[in-house]
Amino acid sequence: MNRLIPLLLALVLASVASQTLAQEQDYPNVNELPVKQSMQGVYTLAARPSLQPVRLNAMHYWVLQLTDADNAAVSNARFKIDGGMPGHGHGLPTSPAIVPGDAPGEYVLRGLRFNMSGIWELRLEIDDGDRSDKLQLLFVVEDTTGN
Amino acid sequence: MSVRPGLWSLLWLCVFMAVAACSQSDDQAAVATAPPQWTDEELTVIRSLSLRNLPPLPVSASNRHADHDSAAKLGQQLFFDTRLSANGKVSCASCHQPQQDFTDGLPRGVGIAAVDRHTMSLIGVAYSPWLFWDGRADSLWRQALGPLEDGREHGGTRTRYAHVIAKHYRDAYADVFGTTAELDALKDLPPSAGPLGNLDELTAWEQMDADDRDAVNQVFANIGKAMEAYQRRLLPRPSRFDDYVEALAANEPDRANALLSPDEQHGLRLFIGAADCTHCHNGPLLSNNDFHNTAIATADEFTLGEGRLRGVHLVKQGEFSCLGTYSDAEPDDCMELRYVKDKGAELVSAFRTPTLRNVARTAPYMHHGNFSSLEQVVAHYVTAPDSVFGKSELLPLEVDADQQKQLVAFLHTLNEKPAEVADAWRASPTAAE
């Protein structure tokens, strides 16, 4: 009987661990970010990292495409950006900023670098003068340089 | 595929522990006899640590001579030249000794006098966007100017060094930088003047014309640029661990198992799993080159204990930064500096994650040199004490005494193998002649 206790303990721990695993699988990979709606549905954002695949510890930028509910490009938007690793309680390792791009509704998110594998979060506050909304991106970054 | 390896190994560890407990005999034989069976997720992480995945050197946009051979050769000479010091006795190599992986074996470096921090290894250093334990330099050329003017290190001044170049390195300088105009401007300048010198040297510096100061600064920056070109050649060589990864990748388990003992392999499993060392020590250099509070600073470090908080304040200032007068970069090339994280509680007492390549040979450890062995380092991570300043990022580890030994055993596999052909960059230029 004594010998069964560790086994049971292990099973319990293993099931806890697999639940956490499932959570991580719920988020998209940074290399395949889906188009995301802002919280009140005011904006839609598509994001494409300049590095494919995104590597750990490499400075890079994302090209963003911002549209509204009518699928019209939103230019003149201003952004506030924040983020980090929610599971670890720490912020981003850089201070990124969003600047206008070349095309209507296009922006460049500059100064991104991820220094750990795991779930990352970016929180945007978007304001184009007429409207404003918040948008949250959650995604997984992995060190895949070994592949 | 997006599974966090740490959790997988936790899971496997649980199963392993349970199986081990069921089949346990009387001896506590936790030191492994059989190697681990790796999962695909673990193998991905293991491969990401291999030197084979080292990307090309990042461009040094602020130094257009960074990859020129002639600059590297000049830099190597300067690196070993004791004339670049106030007392004629100190060179960079006094503390960064090639035969000790460019460290000095001391808790804290000693030049003209003792400094406050532990001497860092320079192998693979060109991969880091930030230099020093607190990252107060944003390029290797800017970094080199720090010790030269520090009273406890080389202790000299800008004009002193510029005169040394004009006298002993005129031809090499012309060859690398394509001009001697700034050397010619030095003739009538004081023998020793500079903004960080003693009162006489400072006064002399302030009395110089702006043009003369600029000429001296140009020579001074170029000394750093040659030294950067040199240090970019200090590249890591494969270790037993890298051979092991290669054997795994080639699907040759016998060769792999002959390279790393079961304990070393279990140490690796802990490193990427239950102990979560790859949280910060990731990539082929086993460092994310970023800043973390790991509860190392001691109460007597005062402002130095601020770590990155102070470092980021310093790195944004000054004429020798990527955005400064003596940089060869366009502002768009200075992404790290422009988007540097400069606020946040996480910066308090955060220090740069060092590479773990050759770590078993470069005791003592940490920015203050306060641990003399890897056993002490690992014990620190297991207990995860609170930080004296700010908040530590570490959580206590569920790692027992035998597993701690395995972690240490793994760290020993990261030592470089001896070079097959002697690497001339790893020795003083005179030694090569």
Side-chain angles (χ1 to χ4, degrees):
Chain A
M1 178 58 205
N2 269 349
R3 291 185 172 178
L4 276 179
I5 292 174
L7 185 61
L8 288 175
L9 196 75
L11 287 176
V12 170
L13 279 175
S15 74
V16 171
S18 58
Q19 272 169 26
T20 329
L21 289 177
Q23 263 188 25
E24 192 150 327
Q25 275 165 327
D26 289 346
Y27 298 107
N29 191 282
V30 66
N31 302 312
E32 297 148 15
L33 289 168
V35 170
K36 185 83 201 263
Q37 274 220 329
S38 59
M39 289 179 176
Q40 311 296 326
V42 177
Y43 304 109
T44 303
L45 186 88
R48 186 166 43 84
S50 63
L51 272 181
Q52 284 290 346
V54 170
R55 273 185 288 116
L56 277 197
N57 307 326
M59 201 71 168
H60 65 287
Y61 61 88
W62 290 7
V63 178
L64 308 178
Q65 189 66 44
L66 188 70
T67 44
D68 64 15
D70 303 326
N71 211 14
V74 180
S75 302
N76 308 320
R78 290 166 178 275
F79 297 83
K80 274 191 200 154
I81 175 164
D82 199 1
M85 287 188 96
H88 295 284
H90 62 70
L92 296 171
T94 56
S95 309
I98 298 177
V99 297
D102 298 331
E106 187 181 282
Y107 300 86
V108 184
L109 167 44
R110 300 174 87 169
L112 275 177
R113 173 160 53 71
F114 303 108
N115 59 359
M116 296 170 180
S117 352
I119 301 174
W120 288 84
E121 178 189 31
L122 288 180
R123 291 184 299 271
L124 306 184
E125 282 180 42
I126 312 170
D127 188 329
D128 68 317
D130 304 331
R131 302 155 292 188
S132 67
D133 204 352
K134 292 181 181 167
L135 192 143
Q136 183 202 35
L137 294 170
L138 280 160
F139 48 89
V140 175
V141 178
E142 289 179 302
D143 197 341
T144 50
T145 48
N147 281 347
Chain B
M1 251 319 288
S2 51
V3 171
R4 192 154 158 241
L7 292 169
W8 271 116
S9 26
L10 181 70
L11 198 146
W12 284 115
L13 192 77
C14 295
V15 174
F16 179 77
M17 269 166 26
V19 171
C22 290
S23 59
Q24 206 179 46
S25 58
D26 277 348
D27 76 86
Q28 307 206 327
V31 177
T33 49
Q37 292 295 311
W38 299 114
T39 64
D40 286 348
E41 287 74 16
E42 284 175 327
L43 286 172
T44 303
V45 181
I46 292 171
R47 280 197 294 268
S48 74
L49 304 176
S50 162
L51 212 47
R52 296 212 138 197
N53 289 308
L54 193 67
L57 272 180
V59 174
S60 177
S62 62
N63 177 3
R64 72 169 79 95
H65 308 286
D67 292 316
H68 295 168
D69 258 339
S70 55
K73 291 207 176 98
L74 172 61
Q76 184 179 24
Q77 288 182 308
L78 298 175
F79 190 91
F80 289 89
D81 192 335
T82 53
R83 288 174 298 203
L84 294 177
S85 68
N87 63 2
K89 290 186 182 145
V90 178
S91 75
C92 310
S94 307
C95 300
H96 302 285
Q97 300 165 17
Q99 65 281 12
Q100 297 215 54
D101 300 302
F102 293 87
T103 62
D104 54 14
L106 301 170
R108 288 169 289 280
V110 180
I112 286 180
V115 303
D116 300 306
R117 289 201 180 139
H118 177 60
T119 304
M120 307 173 90
S121 169
L122 301 181
I123 295 177
V125 67
Y127 281 91
S128 181
W130 310 109
L131 288 312
F132 288 123
W133 286 105
D134 56 9
R136 64 186 180 281
D138 62 334
S139 69
L140 273 170
W141 66 268
R142 176 183 186 181
Q143 187 288 328
L145 310 180
L148 287 171
E149 283 193 307
D150 185 319
R152 293 172 300 176
E153 296 184 65
H154 297 243
T157 57
R158 286 173 202 191
T159 62
R160 172 192 285 271
Y161 300 138
H163 286 300
V164 170
I165 300 296
K167 188 160 172 215
H168 301 288
Y169 291 101
R170 197 183 167 83
D171 292 346
Y173 187 96
D175 191 31
V176 175
F177 300 107
T179 170
T180 52
E182 53 270 16
L183 297 181
D184 298 331
L186 298 172
K187 276 197 202 77
D188 304 316
L189 298 184
S192 190
L196 302 179
N198 62 29
L199 196 58
D200 290 343
E201 291 162 336
L202 174 63
T203 314
W205 177 254
E206 285 178 344
Q207 284 169 352
M208 279 165 54
D209 285 356
D211 284 352
D212 289 340
R213 285 206 294 259
D214 178 53
V216 173
N217 283 346
Q218 190 63 64
V219 181
F220 191 46
N222 283 345
I223 292 175
K225 289 181 180 178
M227 290 205 187
E228 167 166 39
Y230 169 55
Q231 293 176 86
R232 283 170 72 83
R233 313 295 166 110
L234 303 177
L235 296 172
R237 287 195 294 260
S239 66
R240 202 148 52 81
F241 166 71
D242 301 296
D243 289 350
Y244 171 77
V245 182
E246 204 180 288
L248 284 183
N251 212 354
E252 295 176 25
D254 291 345
R255 182 157 71 99
N257 290 332
L259 282 161
L260 253 58
S261 74
D263 278 330
E264 289 166 340
Q265 295 187 43
H266 283 284
L268 167 60
R269 166 169 275 177
L270 291 160
F271 188 86
I272 64 169
D276 204 13
C277 310
T278 40
H279 194 66
C280 305
H281 296 280
N282 52 39
L285 295 172
L286 300 112
S287 170
N288 61 4
N289 284 318
D290 224 314
F291 303 89
H292 302 282
N293 184 333
T294 54
I296 296 298
T298 57
D300 61 345
E301 286 180 64
F302 303 108
T303 53
L304 283 179
E306 288 174 359
R308 184 56 172 163
L309 189 64
R310 184 165 171 274
V312 77
H313 171 71
L314 297 174
V315 78
K316 287 167 66 180
Q317 308 172 345
E319 60 213 349
F320 298 117
S321 84
C322 187
L323 295 165
T325 323
Y326 300 96
S327 164
D328 300 328
E330 297 298 324
D332 266 0
D333 298 327
C334 307
M335 288 310 206
E336 291 282 359
L337 191 61
R338 286 178 61 191
Y339 297 106
V340 63
K341 179 189 181 85
D342 57 0
K343 289 184 201 69
E346 298 132 84
L347 302 179
V348 178
S349 211
F351 291 87
R352 206 173 100 233
T353 312
T355 177
L356 297 183
R357 294 214 163 251
N358 300 318
V359 71
R361 303 200 297 224
T362 58
Y365 302 110
M366 308 297 181
H367 75 266
H368 208 44
N370 36 357
F371 293 138
S372 58
S373 70
L374 288 174
E375 284 76 8
Q376 281 177 311
V377 169
V378 170
H380 173 83
Y381 283 109
V382 172
T383 48
D386 286 340
S387 184
V388 179
F389 309 96
K391 191 170 173 301
S392 169
E393 285 181 42
L394 302 179
L395 296 172
L397 299 176
E398 302 283 332
V399 168
D400 69 23
D402 285 329
Q403 291 174 317
Q404 294 189 38
K405 285 191 197 133
Q406 293 176 328
L407 268 171
V408 172
F410 164 66
L411 293 173
H412 280 264
T413 69
L414 298 168
N415 287 345
E416 290 176 333
K417 295 182 298 179
E420 280 156 22
V421 186
D423 177 352
W425 299 115
R426 296 281 191 105
S428 87
T430 48
E433 275 157 18

